[in-house]
Amino acid sequence: MRDTEFYKELLGLRDPWRVTKVELDSAAGRVDVWIEDRSGVQWSCPECSKQASVYDHSEERVWRHLNTCQFGTYIHARLPRVRCPEHGVRQVSAPWAEHGSRFTMLYEDWVIDILKECDVTGANHLTGTSWYEAWSVMEKAVERGLSRKEKRIPDYLGIDEKSFAKRHRYETVVCDLKRGTVECVLEDRKQTSLEGYYGQFSKEELKGIKAIAMDMWDPYIAATRARVPGAEEKIVFDRFHVTRYVTDAVDKVRRQEHKILMAKGEECLKGTKHLWLMNEEHIPEWRKEEFDDIRKIKLKTGRAWAIKESLRHFWEYRYPKNAEKYFKRWYFWATHSRLKPMIKAAKTLKSHLSNILTYFKHRITNSVTEGLNSKIQTIKQMACGFRNREHYRKAILFHCGGLDLYARVLSKTGSSLDTTIFSMAHAKV
Ligand SMILES: [Zn+2]
């Protein structure tokens, strides 16, 4: 088999395309393949798909393709241009690459697979592309994914803030709780940030939202109340965030008490911080005795801890009415504890109680969002903090957006239509 035939088979080329020349440069470690189209072929105008004959050919262009063994492989072609009666002279697009790309689609898809596994710098080391080239593959993949994405609002939303770079800058991450994907990343954590997201949808579409998990963050609450019909029944304050309020209060009590005890030369609370923050069953075996002993001393911290632990039973109720009854008893205990941080936390929870009780109807939490958050944290570390906000946002959508990122056209069954670079698009033989 001749080399041109061999490459025609390898690339899966079909009439009217053929390989006319193959050059191997062992020293440079590359294979160059020239492709030409057969004359006398009718092509479609890329604007209107009307049939037209070749007008001329554009300048030769080169596309990076997947390696042949260990050699970088490059495809050369002069693409035909047609003269459409309506649109004038137009270049036929190459079926193996997207318009304007220097890579074949299969090569881009390979870079996408690598980008999914490592950061942009890692991808350009492995593929030999520049940082900018690898980044632009990622950026294009996200744009492609977004353009293919169906415009619909998820039934169950999760809204969470994420710190960006240093100095208390924030992003708002909107998640689809059912799919476990990031819907979008909004600038800042203001009311206007979230209203901007809701604003893309009609009132009718927003009505379709079943529930929204969020932190007790006033701007998010206000945005949701302003835009989402029936918001009062749909907002669910995340139970882990609610618990954190109480846990933080326990820590405050411990800090204050520890300070007073140390002044008297008593060190019993030293090194115990994490024990008080844990759930009882998570306390490691080797510290259980120590923990039981401290609890026997009548400490304020011990009382605060007991209040925190008892709130955990609240979440076990099946019916909101029973949960509410339990909360009332807990609230009475907490507010009569004479522990200021606990009283303050209990009052915060009470003022938000109606949207804490919605949990018993919808049973959603932001734990999906929290999971995505740790993924986002990794993305941030991979890119040294992403000083560029737009890059950060795109990287999140690339890794967590659940988007169809690939350049290849997939069949309805999800498999690639063709494992070769070539399809018969635009050509009528
Ligand atoms: Zn046309």
Side-chain angles (χ1 to χ4, degrees), residues 172-232:
T172 298
V173 178
V174 180
C175 295
D176 181 334
L177 292 182
K178 250 202 215 156
R179 291 179 65 216
T181 52
V182 170
E183 272 295 290
C184 67
V185 185
L186 309 164
E187 203 170 313
D188 225 316
R189 50 171 181 171
K190 294 180 183 152
Q191 181 173 344
T192 48
S193 321
L194 188 54
E195 280 205 51
Y197 171 72
Y198 291 139
Q200 308 167 56
F201 302 98
S202 69
K203 218 171 185 170
E204 210 48 46
E205 285 171 308
L206 292 166
K207 234 186 210 171
I209 300 176
K210 293 200 169 89
I212 308 161
M214 63 171 79
D215 292 352
M216 292 182 276
W217 178 246
D218 289 337
Y220 292 163
I221 301 168
T224 306
R225 280 183 182 154
R227 295 282 185 155
V228 180
E232 290 311 321

Side-chain angles (χ1 to χ4, degrees), residues 342-359:
M342 298 311 284
I343 296 169
K344 196 176 163 217
K347 285 190 169 161
T348 306
L349 264 48
K350 183 155 190 249
S351 67
H352 290 90
L353 187 62
S354 59
N355 291 104
I356 294 174
L357 290 168
T358 45
Y359 168 79

Side-chain angles (χ1 to χ4, degrees), residues 57-200:
H57 284 79
S58 62
E59 290 283 299
E60 183 179 293
R61 289 191 51 202
V62 186
W63 292 267
R64 177 72 166 94
H65 187 51
L66 298 170
N67 284 3
T68 306
C69 295
Q70 71 274 37
F71 292 155
T73 304
Y74 297 83
I75 290 180
H76 300 246
R78 293 178 59 203
L79 295 173
R81 300 202 305 163
V82 293
R83 192 211 288 272
C84 169
E86 202 182 330
H87 299 100
V89 178
R90 285 282 192 278
Q91 187 189 284
V92 170
S93 41
W96 52 81
E98 286 191 338
H99 183 72
S101 178
R102 296 182 47 232
F103 303 134
T104 64
M105 287 187 209
L106 282 182
Y107 188 81
E108 269 193 50
D109 288 353
W110 181 62
V111 176
I112 289 170
D113 281 338
I114 289 176
L115 282 166
K116 280 182 169 178
E117 302 297 329
C118 61
D119 66 355
V120 178
T121 311
N124 65 60
H125 286 157
L126 287 169
T127 61
T129 54
S130 68
W131 190 95
Y132 176 76
E133 283 174 331
W135 170 256
S136 66
V137 168
M138 183 188 263
E139 198 170 34
K140 257 173 58 187
V142 170
E143 278 160 19
R144 202 182 287 128
L146 288 175
S147 71
R148 288 171 184 168
K149 187 179 168 178
E150 187 193 351
K151 187 183 168 268
R152 51 168 273 280
I153 195 152
D155 297 352
Y156 293 94
L157 283 172
I159 296 166
D160 206 357
E161 59 176 47
K162 188 82 205 137
S163 70
F164 167 79
K166 286 168 198 147
R167 284 176 299 173
H168 302 288
R169 285 165 68 192
Y170 287 91
E171 305 281 346
T172 298
V173 178
V174 180
C175 295
D176 181 334
L177 292 182
K178 250 202 215 156
R179 291 179 65 216
T181 52
V182 170
E183 272 295 290
C184 67
V185 185
L186 309 164
E187 203 170 313
D188 225 316
R189 50 171 181 171
K190 294 180 183 152
Q191 181 173 344
T192 48
S193 321
L194 188 54
E195 280 205 51
Y197 171 72
Y198 291 139
Q200 308 167 56

Side-chain angles (χ1 to χ4, degrees), residues 45-50 84-87:
C45 162
E47 302 279 332
C48 65
S49 301
K50 247 183 227 145
C84 169
E86 202 182 330
H87 299 100

